[in-house]
Amino acid sequence: MAKRDYYETLGVKKDASADDIKRAYRRLAMKYHPDKNPDNKEAEAKFKECAEAYEVLSDPEKRGRYDQFGHDGLRGMGMHDYSRMNGQDIFSMFEDIFGGFGGLGDLFGTGRRTRKPSGASRGYDLETSVEMNLSEVSKGAEKTIEFTRQDACTECSGSGSAKGSAPGRCPACGGTGQVSRGGGFFQMVSTCPQCRGAGTIITNPCRKCRGSGRLPKKRVVSIKIPAGVHEGQAVRVASEGEPGRGGGPRGDLYCYVRIKPHEFLQRDRSDLIAVVPISFTQAALGATIDVPSLNGTRQLKIPAGTQYGSVFRIKGQGLPDMRTRRTGDQLVQVTVETPSKLNKKQEELLREFAETENKNVFPQ
Ligand SMILES: [Zn+2]
Ligand SMILES: [Zn+2]
């Protein structure tokens, strides 16, 4: 699945300022928000695409990596796994960013909040990737992966308040978590934009996390990858995502598998294909040839009279199939090489051979 350029996704220039990026994302998020496009898969996909682009371009570290190395540079940077989020999840996630504007929800006029201000919510899922070669795919592998995730700040245990101080009552809502706007008949009650419904605000922020309660932290986990795994499949590691809010459970980590191309072998489901050149004398007379396999080279007998493109099957030398648990085969396709240079003796012999064939060849 090829990913689009993040700048292109948001429709901004490479040197766009943080404000430009924020504005562009806000505009697109409103356009494609699931609340405005119910049951529109295309809009949902666009919404996620924009959110992912925004996650990268709004973070100076991620943006720097992306500018320098492209999509590959973001591996292990603790990217959120958008493929597993629904619109509301992303909405909740970016509420943090747009909280100061009263939240995106207010812009849609829905006023809907799926997350109760004081209630616990599950942490976000993260995605990372791991590279495997075909030998590892054949046996399965245990991989150690390192990634960065937001974890509770160790200094303040995630509270966001400096040691020894407690959050104070929110001055904007007086601690109710709600504010009303307008007047007379049509009073609109909505979640307080300053405390985001909590009723309290951090008055003396923790210095280490600047009041967010979270800090990026490196994490190393060991993951078992089953034999027969395919490119793009993900292994779910439960509870290795970001911590939940209000004591909610951690999200999960999804580790996507990338398979390194093999020098000689191509994969076709559970079969492995090798294309091996042989000489025309080997093809005509038969021979035992060396063919590349997953475990070094192995020998294969080619019968006399083998034609260009013939395929030979070595049973059970392919990869295991995760569903059927059967092991595939190795297929060897031979190509016949015509000698481009002949020494004197070889040419003489071939001319003699051509005479017996009674075929017309160029004279010497
Ligand atoms: Zn802290
Ligand atoms: Zn408030």
Side-chain angles (χ1 to χ4, degrees), residues 170 173 192 195:
C170 172
C173 61
C192 171
C195 64

Side-chain angles (χ1 to χ4, degrees), residues 115-339:
R115 202 207 310 158
K116 283 199 200 100
S118 54
S121 67
R122 188 173 168 275
Y124 297 117
D125 291 340
L126 294 177
E127 69 162 70
T128 182
S129 63
V130 68
E131 201 172 51
M132 295 177 81
N133 60 38
L134 283 181
S135 300
E136 290 171 319
V137 171
S138 79
K139 296 185 196 92
E142 186 150 351
K143 289 279 193 181
T144 302
I145 55 159
E146 204 183 297
F147 61 101
T148 307
R149 71 178 179 197
Q150 296 289 326
D151 263 339
C153 169
T154 43
E155 182 78 19
C156 62
S157 313
S159 74
S161 286
K163 260 198 182 125
S165 78
R169 196 158 69 169
C170 172
C173 61
T176 60
Q178 292 190 320
V179 288
S180 39
R181 277 183 304 194
F185 247 44
F186 299 100
Q187 243 192 16
M188 297 269 295
V189 176
S190 59
T191 307
C192 171
Q194 193 165 345
C195 64
R196 273 181 259 142
T200 54
I201 55 160
I202 289 159
T203 46
N204 186 9
C206 163
R207 272 213 218 145
K208 207 165 172 193
C209 62
R210 289 198 219 110
S212 71
R214 289 173 186 225
L215 284 175
K217 207 172 168 190
K218 280 230 186 307
R219 171 94 182 143
V220 179
V221 292
S222 177
I223 303 183
K224 276 208 173 92
I225 316 236
V229 72
H230 282 269
E231 170 83 27
Q233 284 182 325
V235 175
R236 176 173 155 267
V237 192
S239 306
E240 284 291 349
E242 289 188 357
R245 292 197 186 262
R250 267 187 193 278
D252 298 331
L253 172 73
Y254 288 86
C255 183
Y256 286 87
V257 172
R258 288 163 169 242
I259 295 168
K260 249 188 265 180
H262 191 278
E263 203 180 349
F264 303 112
L265 298 171
Q266 283 215 315
R267 182 182 194 175
D268 180 22
R269 292 170 205 229
S270 58
D271 291 338
L272 292 171
I273 303 165
V275 177
V276 179
I278 57 174
S279 73
F280 74 116
T281 49
Q282 284 177 313
L285 303 171
T288 299
I289 60 167
D290 285 337
V291 299
S293 77
L294 272 185
N295 316 300
T297 55
R298 54 174 297 135
Q299 299 201 308
L300 177 71
K301 273 194 176 134
I302 303 284
T306 291
Q307 301 298 314
Y308 186 102
S310 298
V311 175
F312 300 92
R313 187 177 286 266
I314 308 170
K315 280 254 172 237
Q317 292 298 309
L319 299 169
D321 184 301
M322 279 169 80
R323 244 171 268 157
T324 63
R325 305 207 165 261
R326 263 197 307 242
T327 302
D329 303 328
Q330 180 171 347
L331 306 176
V332 178
Q333 182 173 47
V334 296
T335 59
V336 180
E337 289 186 327
T338 307

